Amino acid sequence: MFKIVRFPKKLESFFDSLHDSFHWDHFSYFRTLVLLITIAWGRRNITSLYRHLDNRNQPHRSRFNHFLSVGRCDYAVMLQLKAHDLIGLLHPQKGDTIELILDDSKKQKRGKAMEAVGWIRDPLTGKSIRGHQFVTAVLRFRGHVIPWGIRLYVKKEDCHTLGRTFKKTTQLAADLIREFEPLAGVKVLVLFDSYYLCPTVVKACRKQGFPFVSTLKSNRNLFRNGRKLKTGRYGRNLFARQTKNHLSIRKSHGNVSYTYVDAGWLEVGKIGKLHVLFSRKKAESKILGLVTDDPKLSASQMIRTYDARWSIEVFFKDSKQLLGLGQYQNASLEAAVTHLHLVCFAYALLTHIAIQSEGAKGKRKSVASLSTTDLQNEVRRIVWDDLTEYLKQFSSGTQIVKELGRLLVAA
């Protein structure tokens, strides 16, 4: 890997629309950090990222740390503007559907002086960890995943200390729903898991006119003709008594089969009347309850639609493993928020590259075959091509070899 000498012109089109959101030279810090997060190997803290810069023409590393710690603009608004730009590149038509997918994730943090760090339960391990939790929304349209928003959850006791307004995770999710304004004629389906199936989130969906698809907890109360039923027991009984339907969904790694029973429209707790079905994936023993308030979705369409929610899990996995989501070491909450948004912009840059590759009329792979790693390598190729152009100014091979030796990033 070689150090970056200058910002590649080929990537400027992604950042141009964001230039006016910054003052002074802060835009330069912003796009440099987004590019470094996209292409670097290893950790994505400032110390590690700075190693990939030719520091002859760059500010000192401490200036980048300062940029993280002091809010320079409204990154939440900027990310949403960029999301709309990317949706526009895909030319949505009347009747198209955009999926707005919600979920949250946690990141363990060991820093004792780090602001707003607290004990949170990790559902993957079943244990409590000390760290940060963030609520995230992504848009899925024509196979592309576009970051829409990320909100760091701050506990009530920390909000008082930091001078912030306390909001529950469900309120943060509702804010992300209310902030999305699609193009006229484009349908929006909101997808979330059973935790977010609550009056706060559902009210936000209905206010926006967005139907939703969600899962049901096994202890959720259902009502049929005034009779109270528990979701888990009722689903098992239906699977035992009724004739089951079958559905196969084609995936890149093969077909995935589902067995399901349609329970019709039932009263669901305090939410109201919803279309309920119970499904089982392959030969798994777990029966999953699915609900929607969209009367136009059939039972099989509900399963296909909710299957798309897996996109946000892939987003978290790739963002953490390949883009360093949560690998900040700064003590301030502002730095953590800035870092989370910079990673989202890096992911958006990769989506931008994917959209451009898809429109290259067969010159590139289809978007379905482009992984996050493939897209990172494409950006690295763009940086390398720009470096070779820079090296053309040297008149001899000896000078080129000397310059490359200077620019080589130490392992």
Side-chain angles (χ1 to χ4, degrees):
M1 182 69 183
F2 292 92
K3 296 181 180 180
I4 297 175
V5 178
R6 61 191 184 187
F7 196 87
K9 290 184 178 181
K10 195 170 182 179
L11 299 176
E12 288 180 349
S13 61
F14 174 82
F15 294 93
D16 282 346
S17 62
L18 304 173
H19 184 276
D20 293 341
S21 299
F22 294 88
H23 297 290
W24 303 297
D25 57 350
H26 300 155
F27 175 68
S28 176
Y29 291 109
F30 165 74
R31 71 175 188 174
T32 299
L33 286 174
V34 170
L35 178 59
L36 290 173
I37 288 170
T38 306
I39 68 170
W41 277 277
R43 294 188 63 80
R44 265 46 173 208
N45 53 53
I46 294 298
T47 301
S48 299
L49 292 175
Y50 195 76
R51 293 173 55 246
H52 294 81
L53 277 181
D54 177 15
N55 57 17
R56 290 181 308 178
N57 301 314
Q58 294 291 339
H60 190 266
R61 186 183 68 195
S62 60
R63 299 289 296 275
F64 285 90
N65 262 317
H66 183 68
F67 173 81
L68 277 186
S69 300
V70 181
R72 300 300 184 186
C73 62
D74 193 336
Y75 290 105
V77 172
M78 285 174 53
L79 185 62
Q80 293 176 358
L81 290 173
K82 179 47 63 177
H84 280 295
D85 286 346
L86 294 176
I87 289 290
L89 292 177
L90 293 168
H91 307 293
Q93 304 295 318
K94 187 175 181 179
D96 286 341
T97 298
I98 296 174
E99 290 146 348
L100 174 59
I101 310 174
L102 295 163
D103 205 353
D104 59 75
S105 187
K106 288 89 175 171
K107 184 66 179 180
Q108 188 169 7
K109 306 304 297 184
R110 293 180 295 177
K112 294 183 179 180
M114 195 170 286
E115 293 177 339
V117 170
W119 289 98
I120 47 180
R121 183 171 179 80
D122 185 2
L124 296 178
T125 61
K127 299 178 180 179
S128 292
I129 61 172
R130 188 173 179 273
H132 280 154
Q133 180 178 5
F134 34 90
V135 179
T136 308
V138 300
L139 305 174
R140 183 178 179 271
F141 184 56
R142 294 184 182 167
H144 296 279
V145 175
I146 301 169
W148 169 249
I150 190 163
R151 301 288 187 271
L152 187 62
Y153 169 70
V154 182
K155 291 189 173 183
K156 185 179 292 186
E157 55 270 26
D158 293 320
C159 283
H160 178 73
T161 303
L162 297 169
R164 288 176 171 254
T165 302
F166 172 69
K167 288 188 176 183
K168 297 179 180 179
T169 51
T170 51
Q171 290 174 312
L172 296 174
D175 288 344
L176 290 169
I177 294 169
R178 283 190 290 263
E179 290 164 6
F180 184 59
E181 296 291 342
L183 295 174
V186 175
K187 181 179 178 180
V188 178
L189 265 174
V190 185
L191 312 180
F192 44 81
D193 62 18
S194 58
Y195 175 79
Y196 291 100
L197 185 63
C198 64
T200 301
V201 175
V202 170
K203 184 178 178 181
C205 291
R206 288 172 176 167
K207 184 177 181 181
Q208 291 292 95
F210 300 161
F212 63 85
V213 179
S214 175
T215 52
L216 285 171
K217 289 183 179 179
S218 60
N219 62 350
R220 172 77 75 167
N221 291 328
L222 305 176
F223 297 89
R224 179 186 288 277
N225 300 325
R227 181 187 174 195
K228 185 167 75 171
L229 309 163
K230 286 294 183 181
T231 294
R233 182 181 299 175
Y234 182 59
R236 290 191 296 271
N237 290 339
L238 279 185
F239 254 77
R241 297 195 315 262
Q242 292 193 8
T243 303
K244 290 172 278 295
N245 300 291
H246 300 275
L247 174 67
S248 181
I249 299 178
R250 180 175 295 180
K251 298 292 190 72
S252 58
H253 55 274
N255 291 345
V256 178
S257 58
Y258 290 87
T259 305
Y260 67 93
V261 174
D262 191 345
W265 289 78
L266 303 174
E267 290 287 339
V268 179
K270 298 179 181 180
I271 305 301
K273 187 166 284 190
L274 302 176
H275 186 183
V276 181
L277 69 83
F278 296 93
S279 70
R280 176 186 286 162
K281 186 177 181 180
K282 295 183 179 178
E284 294 178 3
S285 59
K286 183 179 179 180
I287 297 173
L288 185 67
L290 285 177
V291 295
T292 185
D293 63 345
D294 188 350
K296 296 181 180 179
L297 282 184
S298 66
S300 61
Q301 287 173 328
M302 285 171 62
I303 297 175
R304 290 182 184 276
T305 299
Y306 191 76
D307 186 73
R309 201 198 73 85
W310 185 250
S311 299
I312 199 168
E313 302 293 348
V314 177
F315 168 82
F316 282 134
K317 175 179 175 290
D318 288 349
S319 295
K320 288 181 176 180
Q321 295 182 1
L322 302 176
L323 299 175
L325 184 69
Q327 291 180 1
Y328 44 87
Q329 296 178 335
N330 307 67
S332 73
L333 180 67
E334 195 67 52
V337 171
T338 301
H339 165 89
L340 294 174
H341 281 91
L342 290 176
V343 173
C344 287
F345 277 109
Y347 198 98
L349 174 60
L350 296 177
T351 302
H352 177 81
I353 297 297
I355 294 172
Q356 287 186 326
S357 299
E358 188 181 52
K361 297 183 179 179
K363 294 182 180 179
R364 304 265 197 263
K365 296 179 181 179
S366 68
V367 65
S369 63
L370 288 171
S371 66
T372 301
T373 302
D374 291 331
L375 294 168
Q376 283 182 289
N377 288 333
E378 178 68 9
V379 179
R380 289 170 183 143
R381 183 193 63 79
I382 292 171
V383 173
W384 171 253
D385 288 347
D386 186 76
L387 177 60
T388 57
E389 285 294 318
Y390 161 78
L391 293 174
K392 289 179 180 179
Q393 66 178 297
F394 296 95
S395 58
S396 69
T398 302
Q399 289 178 314
I400 292 175
V401 171
K402 185 178 179 180
E403 184 69 4
L404 284 174
R406 189 187 65 78
L407 294 174
L408 183 65
V409 177

